[in-house]
Amino acid sequence: MKGLYKSTIIIAAGIAAISVMTSCDGDRTSENEVPTTRRERQYIKEGNKHFERQEYAQAEVANRKAIAENPSSDVARYNLASSLARQGSESARTEADSLFRDIAKSALIPDASQRSFYNLGNRAYQEEDYAGSIEMYKDALRRNPLDNNARENLRLAQLKLQEQQQNQDQDKNQDKQDKEEQEQDKQQQQQQNQPDQDQQDKDQQDQQDQQNQDQQGNRRPDQDKRDQQQQQGGMSQANAEQILKAMEKEENATRRRVEAQQKAERENKSTRRTVDKPW
């Protein structure tokens, strides 16, 4: 791929040489020529020298002076964008992109517009915005179909875009496959853990039954049955037996008291004196 902004300042100098055709006094232009000023051309020339020496900050200053002389100068604006693009700061590159976009759409010099689209295509390519770079290269070729660099870069951008889309599709398929595998692993883990969970539930139930049994004490099976009958509204066998025993015991006690009383009466009758009448 051709380098970013390759030879842009030399091209800009060529634009200036072709476009600026003033009369001998340097102040008047013909009807179809782009108007320029002498000081503007001097600053542009100064900026070109700094650019060739890779003194991009000084080139920026000189081109800004040229724009101050002629704000509509496509050459000065293009050269300023080129000097900014070669600087390291992101703010300078952002301003360069803005200038290139403005020149590409509004430049009176077709070559300046074509080169601006070309540089925008290079910048988009470096940012891996291959779809955007393709559109920029196409716009550059519309303005100059003979630009082989733009045609070559267009083809490279198209191949990169195709490769990028294939990688994205592969990533999507891989993500889908990973999710399916994770779901399968989760289901298998749940199936493996199910017997352990069943055993835990059984152990908990056995423990609860043991606790209930400990609270109730050692009970006979028939006792549980009698208790159940009593809870249903009837008297339990144990209670009935206790009542019968109590009644039998009371009856025996009563019988013994009666017998003792009768015996005492018989004994008193045999020992006392008999009288005919009371006093």
Side-chain angles (χ1 to χ4, degrees), residues 132-148:
S133 67
I134 288 172
E135 294 304 318
M136 296 296 103
Y137 291 138
K138 286 182 178 180
D139 284 332
L141 288 170
R142 290 186 183 101
R143 286 158 177 78
N144 182 10
L146 301 179
D147 188 349
N148 292 327

Side-chain angles (χ1 to χ4, degrees), residues 7-275:
S7 303
T8 51
I9 200 68
I10 297 175
I11 295 169
I15 294 172
I18 295 173
S19 303
V20 180
M21 295 184 182
T22 61
S23 60
C24 295
D25 58 8
D27 295 329
R28 296 192 305 272
T29 61
S30 63
E31 182 179 356
N32 296 327
E33 292 171 353
V34 177
T36 63
T37 67
R38 182 174 298 172
R39 292 177 62 86
E40 173 195 348
R41 294 193 301 273
Q42 290 175 350
Y43 287 131
I44 289 175
K45 184 177 180 180
E46 179 184 347
N48 290 345
K49 290 180 180 180
H50 286 301
F51 192 96
E52 291 173 355
R53 297 170 187 168
Q54 298 183 0
E55 300 170 347
Y56 304 119
Q58 291 87 334
E60 174 191 349
V61 173
N63 288 308
R64 288 191 187 278
K65 290 180 179 179
I67 294 174
E69 293 293 329
N70 183 7
S72 62
S73 173
D74 291 335
V75 175
R77 292 162 63 213
Y78 182 90
N79 287 359
L80 174 61
S82 299
S83 61
L84 288 169
R86 292 299 184 94
Q87 299 182 36
S89 68
E90 186 61 28
S91 60
R93 291 180 177 272
T94 300
E95 184 180 359
D97 289 347
S98 178
L99 283 169
F100 279 133
R101 282 192 293 268
D102 185 57
I103 297 168
K105 296 178 180 180
S106 63
L108 299 177
I109 302 175
D111 202 13
S113 177
Q114 187 269 334
R115 287 295 173 178
S116 294
F117 276 119
Y118 177 80
N119 287 330
L120 289 171
N122 289 346
R123 180 64 184 273
Y125 187 98
Q126 287 190 340
E127 297 293 331
E128 297 185 359
D129 180 14
Y130 301 119
S133 67
I134 288 172
E135 294 304 318
M136 296 296 103
Y137 291 138
K138 286 182 178 180
D139 284 332
L141 288 170
R142 290 186 183 101
R143 286 158 177 78
N144 182 10
L146 301 179
D147 188 349
N148 292 327
N149 291 339
R151 183 176 291 103
E152 179 182 350
N153 288 358
L154 172 62
R155 178 56 180 164
L156 290 174
Q158 289 171 338
L159 292 174
K160 282 291 187 179
L161 178 61
Q162 183 179 359
E163 179 182 350
Q164 186 181 62
Q165 291 174 344
Q166 290 175 352
N167 292 335
Q168 290 175 351
D169 292 339
Q170 290 177 358
D171 291 341
K172 290 180 181 179
N173 293 333
Q174 185 64 40
D175 291 341
K176 181 179 180 181
Q177 183 178 355
D178 292 341
K179 290 181 180 180
E180 291 177 352
E181 291 178 354
Q182 291 176 359
E183 185 64 26
Q184 291 177 358
D185 293 341
K186 183 179 179 180
Q187 292 177 357
Q188 291 177 359
Q189 187 68 27
Q190 290 177 348
Q191 292 175 357
Q192 292 175 357
N193 294 337
Q194 187 63 36
D196 296 338
Q197 184 64 39
D198 293 342
Q199 184 63 37
Q200 291 178 2
D201 295 341
K202 184 176 182 301
D203 293 340
Q204 291 178 357
Q205 184 62 39
D206 293 342
Q207 184 179 5
Q208 184 66 33
D209 294 342
Q210 184 64 36
Q211 291 177 353
N212 294 336
Q213 184 175 0
D214 293 341
Q215 293 175 358
Q216 294 176 358
N218 296 327
R219 301 175 64 86
R220 297 189 305 274
D222 57 345
Q223 183 68 31
D224 293 336
K225 183 176 180 180
R226 286 195 298 271
D227 291 346
Q228 183 177 3
Q229 291 176 350
Q230 183 180 8
Q231 292 174 358
Q232 292 176 353
M235 181 180 295
S236 67
Q237 183 67 26
N239 290 339
E241 291 177 356
Q242 290 177 358
I243 293 173
L244 290 175
K245 287 181 180 180
M247 293 175 63
E248 183 179 356
K249 184 177 181 180
E250 184 178 357
E251 183 179 355
N252 292 333
T254 301
R255 185 173 57 254
R256 285 194 297 271
R257 286 196 302 273
V258 171
E259 290 177 352
Q261 184 177 1
Q262 291 176 351
K263 182 179 179 181
E265 289 177 353
R266 286 194 299 270
E267 291 177 351
N268 292 331
K269 185 177 180 181
S270 59
T271 57
R272 68 186 179 180
R273 292 177 298 175
T274 305
V275 293

